[in-house]
C-alpha cells in the first residue's frame, strides 16, 4: 500500500499531468508548464499524434559544453566528453598508445624505493595509472555494442579483449605486488601512518585482490592462475560476441500474429506483406509474447530467442564452467560461487543459495495460485481442462488477466506513454528528488544520427556533475536489450581537479511510423526509470578513486540504488 502514491506520481509525471505541488515543492524548469486545469491535474490524458500536452510541449533549450566551463572551474571539476574513434585503424592505434602509456606509468611506480614510497605514491598512483586504460576500455565496450559498422564493432571487441588481458597481467605483476607487500608489512606493524575511509578501503581491497590472485601460492601455481584468468576473459568475450552477432528474424503471416498491436504489424510489414519479428530485439519479442493469441507463434519466438547462438556457445559455456571450477579449486575455494561471492554482500555461495531458496519457499504458494488462475484462462481458450502455462504463455495470459479482471488494456495504455514526454517526466522527477537540471547539448562524434546527450547540473550551485548519452532505438548489430554503460568514471585527478563522469543508456524502444509519436509500454517505462537510476548512480558519484566510483560496488548491491 505504501507504494501506491509513489507509483501514481511516477505515472502522472510520465504522462505529463503534474499535481500542483506549489512553488516551494517543485523547482521550476525552463521546460515545465503549469497544468491548464488544476482540477483535472491528477488525470492522465492519452496522447494524440503531433500533440504533447502538459510539460512535454516545451523543449529544453540546448546549451554548449563550453557554457559549463566557468562553473566547473569555480568548483575545481572538469567535464570532458569521450573522443570516439571513427575507424578500426584508429581503435587499434589508440589501444596501442593507451597500453604503452599504462605500462610506462606502472614501471615508474614499480621503480620506487619501497622504504620511501607511501600510500599515495603506491595505491593512489596505481588508481591513477589504470584510470586512462579503464576509460578506454569503457569507451570500446560501449562502441562494440552500439557501433552501426560491423568492422568497428569487431575492432572494439578486439581492443576490449586486449585491454582485459593486459589488466589481468597487471594484477599478476611481481614488482607491483612486492611494493604493495612492503607497505602492507610496515602498516600491519604500525610503522606507517593510519588510513581511514576511502583510503583504507583502497589499501584493504588491493591487498585482498592480491590474495585472491594467488600471491600466497608458488610462482608456478600463480602462473597457472593467470593463464586461467586470461582464458576466462577470452571465453567471455567470445560468448558475448556470439550473442551480439546473432541477428535472427522470423517471418509470419498476419494471421499468425493475431492480437499484435496495429502499430507493430505496420512497422514489421515486409514488402511481400508478411511480418518480420526480430527475435534478437527485446521489444519485438515482448510484443509477441504479451499480445499474440496464437500459441505456436509465441512458442516459436520464445524458443528461438532462448536458443540464440546456442550452437556457437554451448562448447564455450562448458569450458567456462570447467575453467571456473579449476580456478576456484586452485585458489583454495570450495566452488566458483564461493570465490565470486566472497567480495559481495552474500559472502559465501551457501549464503547466496540460502537466500534464493528462502525466497522460493515463501513465494511458491502464491506462485502456484497465480499459475492456476492463468491456467484457467488458457483452459477456456483451448477447451483443454488440464491446460498448463508454459514459459511462452505467461506474459500473454498475464495480459489477458489484466484486461479481463482489472480492465487494463496494455496496448491502449501505450497511448499514455509518449517517449519524449516520458523522458521529460522522468527528468523532472530526478530534478525534483536530487536538486538537478538536465541540459541537452549536441553530441560530438555521434555514432548514430539520433543520439542524444545531456549535461547534468546541480540546480543550486550550478556545478556540472556529469553527462549521459541516450541511444534509444534498435538497429542491426546493436546490443539487444536495455543497459547503462559507464563511459568515463568519476575520479580525483593528480592535479586535485575532480573529473566528472559520463555514462550512456542503451535502449531498444520500437520507433514510431513517420509522423507518429513513439509510444512505450508500461514495462518499458519501468525499465527506463530503472536504467536511468543506474545512470544517476554513476553520474552523481563523489568517490575519490575510480575504483569506487558510481556502480563500482558489490554486485549484489548495485541494483539497490
Amino acid at each position: 500500500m505504501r507504494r501506491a502514491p509513489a507509483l501514481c506520481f511516477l505515472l502522472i509525471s510520465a504522462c505529463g499531468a503534474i499535481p500542483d505541488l506549489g512553488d516551494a515543492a517543485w523547482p521550476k524548469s525552463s521546460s515545465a508548464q503549469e497544468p491548464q486545469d488544476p482540477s483535472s491535474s491528477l488525470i492522465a490524458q492519452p496522447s494524440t499524434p503531433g500533440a504533447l500536452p502538459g510539460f512535454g510541449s516545451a523543449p529544453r533549450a540546448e546549451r554548449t559544453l563550453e557554457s559549463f566551463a566557468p562553473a566547473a572551474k569555480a568548483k575545481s571539476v572538469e567535464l570532458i566528453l569521450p573522443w570516439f574513434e571513427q575507424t578500426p585503424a584508429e581503435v587499434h592505434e589508440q589501444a596501442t598508445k593507451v597500453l604503452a602509456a599504462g605500462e610506462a606509468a606502472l614501471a615508474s611506480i614499480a621503480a620506487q624505493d619501497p622504504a620511501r614510497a607511501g600510500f599515495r605514491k603506491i595505491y593512489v598512483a596505481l588508481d591513477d595509472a589504470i584510470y586512462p586504460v579503464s576509460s578506454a576500455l569503457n569507451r570500446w565496450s560501449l562502441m562494440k555494442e552500439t557501433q552501426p559498422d560491423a568492422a568497428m564493432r569487431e575492432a572494439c571487441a578486439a581492443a576490449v579483449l586486449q585491454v582485459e588481458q593486459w589488466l589481468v597481467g597487471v594484477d599478476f605483476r611481481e614488482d607491483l605486488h612486492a611494493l604493495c607487500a612492503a607497505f602492507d608489512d610496515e602498516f600491519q606493524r604500525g610503522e606507517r601512518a593510519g588510513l581511514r575511509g576511502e583510503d583504507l578501503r583502497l589499501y584493504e581491497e588491493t591487498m585482498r585482490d592480491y590474495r585472491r590472485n594467488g600471491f600466497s601460492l608458488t610462482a608456478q601455481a600463480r602462473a597457472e592462475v593467470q593463464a586461467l584468468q586470461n582464458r576466462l576473459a577470452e571465453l567471455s568475450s567470445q560468448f558475448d560476441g556470439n550473442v551480439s552477432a546473432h541477428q535472427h528474424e522470423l517471418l509470419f503471416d498476419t494471421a499468425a500474429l493475431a492480437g499484435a498491436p496495429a502499430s507493430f504489424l505496420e512497422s514489421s510489414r515486409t514488402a511481400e506483406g508478411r511480418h518480420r519479428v526480430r527475435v534478437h530485439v527485446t521489444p519485438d519479442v515482448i510484443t509477441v509474447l504479451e499480445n499474440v493469441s496464437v500459441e505456436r507463434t509465441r512458442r516459436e519466438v520464445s524458443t528461438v530467442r532462448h536458443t540464440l547462438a546456442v550452437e556457437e556457445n554451448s562448447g564455450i559455456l562448458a569450458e567456462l564452467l570447467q575453467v571456473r571450477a579449476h580456478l576456484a579449486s586452485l585458489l583454495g575455494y570450495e566452488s566458483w560461487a564461493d570465490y565470486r561471492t566472497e567480495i559481495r554482500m552474500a559472502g559465501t555461495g551457501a549464503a547466496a543459495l540460502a537466500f534464493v531458496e528462502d525466497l522460493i519457499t515463501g513465494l511458491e504458494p502464491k506462485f502456484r495460485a497465480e499459475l492456476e488462475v492463468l491456467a484457467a484462462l488458457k483452459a477456456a481458450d483451448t477447451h483443454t481442462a488440464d491446460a498448463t502455462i508454459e514459459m511462452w504463455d505467461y506474459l500473454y495470459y498475464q495480459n489477458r488477466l489484466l484486461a479481463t479482471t482489472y480492465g487494463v488494456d496494455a496496448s491502449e495504455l501505450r497511448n499514455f506513454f509518449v517517449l519524449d514526454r516520458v523522458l521529460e517526466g522522468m527528468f523532472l522527477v530526478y530534478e525534483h528528488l536530487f536538486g538537478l537540471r538536465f541540459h541537452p547539448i549536441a553530441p560530438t562524434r555521434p555514432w548514430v544520427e539520433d543520439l542524444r546527450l545531456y549535461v547534468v547540473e546541480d540546480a543550486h550551485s550550478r556545478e556540472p556533475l556529469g553527462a549521459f548519452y541516450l541511444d534509444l532505438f534498435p538497429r542491426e548489430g546493436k546490443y539487444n536489450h536495455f543497459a547503462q554503460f559507464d563511459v568515463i568514471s568519476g575520479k580525483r585527478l593528480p592535479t586535485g581537479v575532480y573529473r566528472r563522469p559520463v555514462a550512456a543508456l542503451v535502449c531498444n524502444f520500437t520507433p514510431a511510423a513517420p509522423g507518429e509519436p513513439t509510444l512505450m509500454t508500461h514495462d518499458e517505462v519501468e525499465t527506463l526509470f530503472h536504467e536511468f537510476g543506474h545512470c544517476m548512480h554513476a553520474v552523481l558519484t563523489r568517490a575519490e578513486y575510480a575504483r569506487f566510483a558510481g556502480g563500482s560496488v558489490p554486485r549484489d548491491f548495485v541494483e539497490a540504488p
Side-chain angles (χ1 to χ4, degrees):
M1 293 296 293
R2 290 174 59 85
R3 293 180 58 193
L7 179 59
C8 289
F9 180 73
L10 293 182
L11 289 177
I12 292 165
S13 297
C15 292
I18 307 176
D20 187 357
L21 300 178
D23 292 344
W26 192 275
K28 295 299 180 183
S29 168
S30 60
S31 59
Q33 295 182 354
E34 294 296 332
Q36 297 300 309
D37 181 4
S39 66
S40 61
S41 63
L42 294 178
I43 303 174
Q45 298 298 323
S47 306
T48 56
L52 300 179
F55 59 81
S57 58
R60 291 169 180 253
E62 187 172 283
R63 289 179 58 178
T64 64
L65 186 64
E66 291 73 20
S67 68
F68 297 94
K73 183 177 180 180
K75 296 294 181 180
S76 295
V77 303
E78 72 172 23
L79 176 60
I80 63 172
L81 296 178
W83 188 253
F84 294 106
E85 292 83 358
Q86 302 294 293
T87 66
E90 193 177 355
V91 172
H92 176 73
E93 178 184 359
Q94 286 301 311
T96 301
K97 288 182 177 179
V98 165
L99 293 183
E103 282 289 344
L106 294 178
S108 177
I109 296 170
Q112 298 178 98
D113 179 359
R116 304 183 64 180
F119 168 77
R120 300 202 66 81
K121 289 188 176 181
I122 302 174
Y123 296 91
V124 177
L126 287 172
D127 194 72
D128 293 340
I130 296 299
Y131 182 61
V133 181
S134 63
S135 294
L137 176 63
N138 289 344
R139 185 170 71 248
W140 297 325
S141 296
L142 173 66
M143 291 170 67
K144 81 181 180 71
E145 301 291 355
T146 58
Q147 260 288 338
D149 181 67
M152 279 295 290
R153 294 196 302 272
E154 184 177 343
C156 291
V160 166
L161 178 59
Q162 183 182 5
V163 172
E164 287 178 340
Q165 293 187 331
W166 182 85
L167 290 171
V168 170
V170 171
D171 291 340
F172 287 87
R173 284 185 59 149
E174 300 279 354
D175 52 358
L176 294 176
H177 172 258
L179 189 65
C180 291
F183 177 92
D184 180 50
D185 288 341
E186 295 180 3
F187 185 81
Q188 294 299 327
R189 294 196 301 265
E191 298 173 5
R192 294 279 188 164
L195 301 173
R196 65 180 183 177
E198 214 174 323
D199 292 349
L200 179 61
R201 187 178 172 201
L202 181 64
Y203 153 72
E204 289 178 339
E205 291 198 4
T206 301
M207 300 314 300
R208 178 203 68 190
D209 290 349
Y210 278 125
R211 173 182 59 78
R212 284 170 54 81
N213 283 329
F215 271 87
S216 61
L217 305 177
T218 65
Q220 181 179 355
R222 202 157 54 246
E224 185 177 2
V225 170
Q226 182 176 357
L228 291 171
Q229 292 282 23
N230 276 324
R231 184 57 179 159
L232 282 181
E234 184 179 358
L235 291 170
S236 297
S237 178
Q238 291 175 1
F239 190 99
D240 292 344
N242 287 337
V243 173
S244 296
H246 209 89
Q247 312 285 305
H248 197 108
E249 299 176 352
L250 297 174
L251 293 175
F252 295 99
D253 295 329
T254 302
L257 293 174
S263 58
F264 178 79
L265 293 175
E266 181 62 29
S267 64
S268 64
R269 192 183 308 278
T270 67
E272 295 77 21
R274 304 191 76 193
H275 301 276
R276 179 186 64 169
V277 175
R278 301 163 297 178
V279 293
H280 57 282
V281 175
T282 300
D284 280 21
V285 174
I286 296 300
T287 297
V288 170
L289 296 183
E290 285 187 341
N291 298 284
V292 172
S293 61
V294 183
E295 182 176 359
R296 66 178 179 273
T297 302
R298 299 197 307 272
R299 179 173 60 243
E300 183 176 1
V301 169
S302 176
T303 301
V304 174
R305 168 71 172 197
H306 289 96
T307 55
L308 287 175
V310 66
E311 294 182 3
E312 299 92 332
N313 278 342
S314 293
I316 294 174
L317 181 59
E319 186 180 351
L320 266 171
L321 295 176
Q322 292 174 355
V323 173
R324 286 175 172 181
H326 183 38
L327 177 60
S329 176
L330 193 61
L331 291 171
Y333 294 87
E334 290 278 335
S335 66
W336 176 257
D338 283 337
Y339 172 72
R340 293 294 285 177
T341 56
E342 180 189 23
I343 60 174
R344 300 182 181 182
M345 292 192 302
T348 67
L353 182 60
F355 176 78
V356 173
E357 289 177 338
D358 181 61
L359 282 178
I360 292 174
T361 299
L363 294 174
E364 187 71 13
K366 181 63 174 175
F367 173 68
R368 291 297 167 189
E370 291 185 355
L371 277 186
E372 289 181 8
V373 173
L374 301 182
L377 290 175
K378 185 176 180 180
D381 278 354
T382 61
H383 307 291
T384 305
D386 59 349
T388 58
I389 296 296
E390 306 291 349
M391 63 182 300
W392 51 81
D393 292 327
Y394 173 73
L395 290 176
Y396 175 71
Y397 283 103
Q398 183 184 51
N399 241 6
R400 285 282 308 281
L401 180 66
L402 288 172
T404 58
T405 304
Y406 302 104
V408 177
D409 186 329
S411 61
E412 289 298 321
L413 197 59
R414 295 174 70 246
N415 293 316
F416 290 85
F417 298 120
V418 175
L419 174 60
D420 284 334
R421 198 166 66 225
V422 171
L423 286 171
E424 181 64 16
M426 181 178 71
F427 290 166
L428 286 174
V429 168
Y430 275 89
E431 287 177 335
H432 173 65
L433 289 176
F434 298 109
L436 306 174
R437 289 289 182 269
F438 300 125
H439 302 282
I441 68 172
T444 56
R445 288 195 154 196
W447 59 86
V448 67
E449 287 185 3
D450 55 9
L451 186 69
R452 306 185 191 187
L453 175 60
Y454 294 83
V455 168
V456 182
E457 179 187 54
D458 185 296
H460 304 291
S461 70
R462 303 304 180 192
E463 175 188 354
L465 299 175
F468 61 90
Y469 294 91
L470 295 181
D471 184 346
L472 297 171
F473 302 108
R475 58 183 174 272
E476 183 178 353
K478 183 183 173 182
Y479 179 81
N480 60 23
H481 193 51
F482 298 81
Q484 179 266 328
F485 288 78
D486 289 341
V487 187
I488 296 176
S489 296
K491 175 177 168 57
R492 181 77 60 190
L493 301 176
T495 60
V497 171
Y498 195 95
R499 179 167 293 171
R500 297 306 309 171
V502 179
L505 281 193
V506 177
C507 307
N508 282 281
F509 300 114
T510 302
E516 298 290 325
T518 297
L519 304 180
M520 304 168 65
T521 66
H522 181 259
D523 285 344
E524 288 175 335
V525 174
E526 288 187 352
T527 298
L528 178 62
F529 269 85
H530 174 96
E531 296 300 339
F532 196 68
H534 288 307
C535 181
M536 289 296 96
H537 189 187
V539 168
L540 301 182
T541 186
R542 293 289 185 181
E544 289 288 302
Y545 306 122
R547 181 185 179 108
F548 305 128
S552 299
V553 296
R555 187 67 177 175
D556 47 358
F557 177 77
V558 74
E559 300 296 336

